Amino acid sequence: MTFQTHTGNRGLVLEEKLIFEQGEPGRTGVDLPDPAPVKSRLGGLARAEDSAIGLPGLSEPQVVRHFTRLSQKNFGIDSGFFPLGSCTMKHNPRLNEKVARLPGIADLHPMQPESTVQGALELIDQCAHWLMVLTGMPAVAMSPASGAQGELCGMMAIRAALDARGENRRRVLVPESAHGTNPATAAACGFTVDSIPATEDGRVDLAAFEAKLGDDVAGIMLTNPNTCGLFERDVRKIADLVHAAGGYFYCDGANFNAIVGRVRPADLGIDAMHINLHKTFSTPHGGGGPGSGPVVFSEALAPFAPIPYVVKTEDGFHMVETADEKDGNKPFGRLKGFHGQMGMFVRALSYMKSHGADGLRQASGDAVLNANYLLARLKTKLSVAFPGYCMHEALFDDDFLKGTGVSTLDLAKAIIDEGFHPMTMYFPLVVHGALLIEPTETETKESIDQFCDAVLSLVAKAEAGDSEFFKNAPYLTPRRRLDETAAARKPILRWSPSNA
């Protein structure tokens, strides 16, 4: 039977109104004295004292309960298995958070005199040192605020190097399985994008790549391991060919977690690579903290790395802030204000030091082991996109759903009712109806088994012909499935009492 409560609540899963719907005029959680009279400088723009300000009036308990209830509706890595492919949703160790909150770190200000932040500059320098050692690169730019901005940093350095050579190379080769930010970044830097097809086993078509090389090629943007979860076996040959043609090799380091401690990108011939600290080095994703995408550079591109960067002098650590400081470099400029995401540097260094080189090597090995265990379990029913072992993530197509009337999206919606965040869907675009699953090293065998059991039971349900069940899923969420076409064509982007 369908049971509906009067309140809309489902036991302890509470129906929560928007905060604007809860407010009452004049209600407040604080009692402040009237401010001292001052001469207004607003002219005719001053609001009448009795007019509404458009903000909800709530007591303190209402505010606390509202945001606590919203947090309970959220799914995060602390809630359960988060199998988003190509996102590396790994555990954020609490040790990192403790270190980031230490006095002298949590209360730093970027405009403090340099003499008062020597410890912070040393910390940035140590974090940079670890990144250079792990990648084998001689230089790193710490300031990029995300993976996408890291890509921008790397491609701007490549353009600066080409300009310094007096060469007007403006074509960038990008595999068709690349992250969407790769071609977008190349275009934003004034390059034209030339797509490289993949082979039947999900890797760059080396012959097609070689045929596209020419004296107008600025470089290649390649992800390795790639977005199909596979290691590019011809990566060294690709590097040699692009260098022989006068171009540079930019590597998208989004999947570095699969090879850290085992492969040094410098040994693969890479000239620039961004590193997602919020992936490989466990700093929080999204609402848990800002992204951070340091970029490592080869000797050829190191002089063009952006400012600021830390150097060690006889008097201590110094932050190079301007391009006119004569140290032989030719920075292309500055990417962002101040010095990068300091809180993320702290957390990443805590992670690296607590693991050590051997621990990082084990983490990458465990990530690949977990992905291949998941692949082995699910391929008994799901159709694998490419043959053989995978690296950090397992990729399936939707061939196993043919004839069931169930789509990849339908299956993902049903997975929500099982208590899991869905996997990445319909990406990479080179695989029809793609399901991309990345367990990371975080997960135990038991949690992977629980997820696999749930997926396999749903596949069995689809094979049994119960497509109507999937079309209406999810059933147990605070909100049911949207009419996604209507939501896209007629979005309601602002709340008002009229549409409450």
Side-chain angles (χ1 to χ4, degrees), residues 24 45 73 78 101 122 137 144 152 159 175 197 222 231 242 248 258 290 374 378 422 448 481-482 484 491 499:
E24 290 290 336
L45 299 177
K73 297 179 189 300
D78 290 345
R101 286 164 172 76
E122 183 176 2
M137 297 290 212
L152 183 67
R159 175 153 182 172
L222 177 72
F231 193 87
V242 77
Y248 294 99
L374 182 145
L378 292 184
I448 297 174
R481 192 190 296 208
L482 294 173
E484 297 185 10
N499 56 36

Side-chain angles (χ1 to χ4, degrees), residues 400-460:
F400 69 99
L401 292 173
K402 282 184 178 178
T404 65
V406 177
S407 69
T408 294
L409 179 64
D410 295 333
L411 181 67
K413 296 293 187 183
I415 285 173
I416 296 173
D417 278 338
E418 297 290 341
F420 299 103
H421 194 288
M423 68 289 286
T424 296
M425 302 173 294
Y426 303 109
F427 181 79
L429 300 177
V430 293
V431 171
H432 193 274
L435 301 92
L436 187 62
I437 310 173
E438 181 180 7
T440 80
E441 73 278 11
T442 291
E443 300 306 321
T444 62
K445 179 179 180 294
E446 290 77 14
S447 69
I448 297 174
D449 280 334
Q450 186 183 42
F451 174 78
C452 290
D453 289 343
V455 172
L456 292 173
S457 70
L458 289 171
V459 173

Side-chain angles (χ1 to χ4, degrees), residues 177-363:
S177 64
H179 289 109
T181 49
N182 288 182
T185 296
C189 290
F191 296 108
T192 59
V193 177
D194 195 351
S195 181
I196 311 169
T199 59
E200 290 187 358
D201 66 353
R203 294 169 174 88
V204 169
D205 186 322
L206 188 62
F209 163 73
E210 191 167 3
K212 288 177 179 286
L213 291 172
D215 58 11
D216 63 334
V217 169
I220 183 173
M221 297 184 78
L222 177 72
T223 306
N224 192 37
N226 68 26
T227 314
C228 297
L230 305 171
F231 193 87
E232 291 286 354
R233 66 172 71 94
D234 293 319
V235 62
R236 184 69 235 193
K237 179 69 172 176
I238 290 170
D240 292 342
L241 287 170
V242 77
H243 289 150
Y248 294 99
F249 186 166
Y250 179 87
C251 182
D252 184 322
N255 300 326
F256 189 46
N257 193 59
I259 59 173
V260 65
R262 295 172 180 273
V263 178
R264 298 192 312 170
D267 298 333
L268 304 180
I270 291 165
D271 291 301
M273 184 183 85
H274 81 264
I275 302 169
N276 297 88
L277 297 188
H278 51 285
K279 296 177 71 173
T280 304
F281 297 108
S282 82
T283 70
H285 283 67
S292 185
V295 180
V296 289
F297 291 105
S298 67
E299 186 175 347
L301 291 182
F304 304 96
I307 51 176
Y309 51 87
V310 176
V311 295
K312 189 174 183 180
T313 69
E314 293 180 357
D315 300 322
F317 291 92
H318 170 59
M319 181 70 76
V320 175
E321 298 269 16
T322 61
D324 59 2
E325 294 191 42
K326 306 300 182 184
D327 58 3
N329 290 329
K330 306 170 186 176
F332 66 72
R334 176 186 284 270
L335 272 175
K336 69 186 297 293
F338 301 120
H339 317 126
Q341 310 289 26
M342 182 65 191
M344 300 304 112
F345 301 157
V346 175
R347 291 170 172 85
L349 185 61
S350 169
Y351 179 82
M352 290 186 278
K353 286 201 162 191
S354 61
H355 279 68
D358 58 335
L360 295 174
R361 179 181 174 86
Q362 180 181 341

